Amino acid sequence: MNRPMAAEPLLDVRDLSVEFDTRAGRLRAVDFVSWTLHRGRTLVILGESGSGKSVSTQAITGILDSPPGHVTGGQALFDGMDLLTLTERARRGVVGSRISLVFQDALSALNPVHTVGRQIAELYRVHRGTSRSDAMKRAAEMLDRVGIPGARGRVHDYPHQFSGGMRQRVMIAMALALGPEVLIADEPTTALDVTVQAQILELLAEIQADTDMGVVLITHDLAVAAEIADDLVVMYAGRVVESGATADVLGDPQHPYTQGLLQSVPSAERRGQDLPAIPGTPPDLMRLPSGCPFRPRCPHAHDRCVTERPALQPAPGELRFGACHLLDQPLSPEGAAR
Ligand code: SF4
């Protein structure tokens, strides 16, 4: 995606920090994370497992497993409100209607003992006071909107009667039923095969093109990010290491982690060659290395990286940020600054 930047911020997350109490002590899962979602754009949060990408959106929407998780700082500004300081009741008035969620595992997110039609219709009845028959009609319209064949009949089916891809469409129908301004989708296509994954991403893009909704999509898959994101936030060890417009970040990655991710994606030019993987594994958040958290895996690490943690700072280009001591020096894949 390469839509022109809209001026209006829709959801503005500033310096969000989240900590967890564990038997081994307190760990910081999200560390001063900031990003801005603009109306009509898709922002992708990209990172490996444990990078803090899901925890940050769970904290914003109030579904963090708490305790043991606690928001320890920051703001999440939406329409003049800070979502992090709303009362539970006020937050319930926003999340689920104006901000909607889609999860990876549609089967466990849907209620197995109610038909999908009833589950969607219930949203109209509770939030809009719609009559039972009108709510059911609207449920069928939503199923049709997300591409479920024979939607009028299928409102009477239960979740287990749908395939994985169709269940994910039902989840998207539920999430979109009340016309949200923000859709947050956490790994919505991870459990699906490649063809169905492409269909679901296409569906999200189509629906977004018809509305002015902002979409936050969380993924570990760079190919998915490249396909759908207008803006990209790359997370590592609970922090943002690089962010900016997708074309800029992927066209000229500034952080060695982003560069390593890009090199490990198959491409036509590298057909038949071994793909270089980033060596090592993500760090244990209880035992982060000194200095830069990416240091043990970084081909460019140098003395300063051992002692000084790089701050997120403006990177070359418009609205680009990076957290690396070598930001102003182009990097070669081999490990030296060019
Ligand atoms: Fe690598 Fe140092 Fe940059 Fe961290 S700060 S990414 S270790 S060069």
Side-chain angles (χ1 to χ4, degrees):
M1 295 275 161
N2 199 12
R3 282 183 276 249
M5 172 73 80
E8 191 180 350
L10 191 53
L11 178 56
D12 198 10
V13 175
R14 297 183 189 166
D15 295 334
L16 176 69
S17 294
V18 180
E19 296 185 353
F20 280 80
D21 289 324
T22 71
R23 282 196 190 148
R26 187 167 264 220
L27 68 79
R28 184 166 274 219
V30 175
D31 196 9
F32 284 95
V33 162
S34 298
W35 45 258
T36 304
L37 172 69
H38 293 267
R39 203 173 279 282
R41 288 176 77 86
T42 297
L43 176 133
V44 167
I45 305 178
L46 176 73
E48 290 166 288
S49 175
S51 61
K53 57 191 191 304
S54 294
V55 171
S56 52
T57 51
Q58 286 165 6
I60 293 163
T61 51
I63 57 167
L64 186 67
D65 196 8
S66 174
H70 313 273
V71 174
T72 53
Q75 293 179 305
L77 304 173
F78 173 72
D79 193 18
M81 299 172 273
D82 180 359
L83 298 175
L84 301 179
T85 57
L86 289 182
T87 61
E88 193 48 43
R89 186 186 162 92
R91 183 152 48 194
R92 275 206 301 269
V94 175
V95 177
S97 53
R98 298 184 66 190
I99 299 177
S100 267
L101 304 163
V102 174
F103 301 101
Q104 176 182 339
D105 184 1
L107 190 56
S108 61
L110 292 166
N111 188 330
V113 301
H114 294 308
T115 64
V116 299
R118 177 172 169 183
Q119 293 182 60
I120 300 172
E122 205 58 19
L123 292 167
Y124 294 114
R125 288 177 53 72
V126 170
H127 291 270
R128 302 277 191 266
T130 311
S131 71
R132 194 177 297 271
S133 61
D134 280 353
M136 213 55 176
K137 263 190 223 149
R138 295 185 72 175
E141 284 164 13
M142 279 314 298
L143 289 186
D144 188 49
R145 174 73 191 87
V146 298
I148 293 186
R152 285 180 65 177
R154 297 224 68 185
V155 287
H156 304 297
D157 287 345
Y158 291 85
H160 73 270
Q161 294 173 283
F162 290 80
S163 67
M166 287 294 157
R167 272 199 298 272
Q168 201 55 286
R169 287 174 188 262
V170 171
M171 275 298 294
I172 292 170
M174 284 185 75
L176 297 178
L178 300 175
E181 290 148 77
V182 175
L183 179 74
I184 297 177
D186 190 347
E187 302 273 12
T189 59
T190 301
L192 306 175
D193 69 46
V194 178
T195 311
V196 180
Q197 173 175 302
Q199 290 166 354
I200 295 288
L201 292 177
E202 203 174 308
L203 171 67
L204 283 174
E206 257 176 48
I207 289 171
Q208 192 187 32
D210 289 349
T211 65
D212 219 10
M213 184 172 72
V215 174
V216 178
L217 186 127
I218 297 166
T219 184
H220 66 281
D221 188 336
L222 182 60
V224 167
E227 186 173 334
I228 198 167
D230 295 303
D231 302 300
L232 194 55
V233 172
V234 183
M235 288 190 68
Y236 187 81
R239 297 167 191 174
V240 175
V241 294
E242 180 154 13
S243 65
T246 307
D248 294 339
V249 173
L250 299 187
D252 180 23
Q254 295 287 311
H255 195 282
Y257 178 57
T258 319
Q259 196 177 60
L261 288 176
L262 261 174
Q263 282 163 5
S264 58
V265 173
S267 68
E269 301 89 68
R270 297 201 205 102
R271 186 169 294 165
Q273 297 173 17
D274 286 341
L275 288 174
I278 300 174
T281 52
D284 177 348
L285 294 178
M286 290 297 292
R287 291 179 198 80
L288 285 177
S290 64
C292 175
F294 188 58
R295 175 171 56 81
R297 305 174 76 186
C298 181
H300 309 283
H302 53 287
D303 290 351
R304 190 178 170 199
C305 310
V306 180
T307 55
E308 200 181 318
R309 179 197 295 183
L312 192 67
Q313 55 190 302
E318 201 185 344
L319 292 175
R320 291 199 61 187
F321 295 89
C324 173
H325 295 313
L326 297 176
L327 263 196
D328 47 357
Q329 301 176 40
L331 304 174
S332 75
E334 292 75 28
R338 284 199 292 259

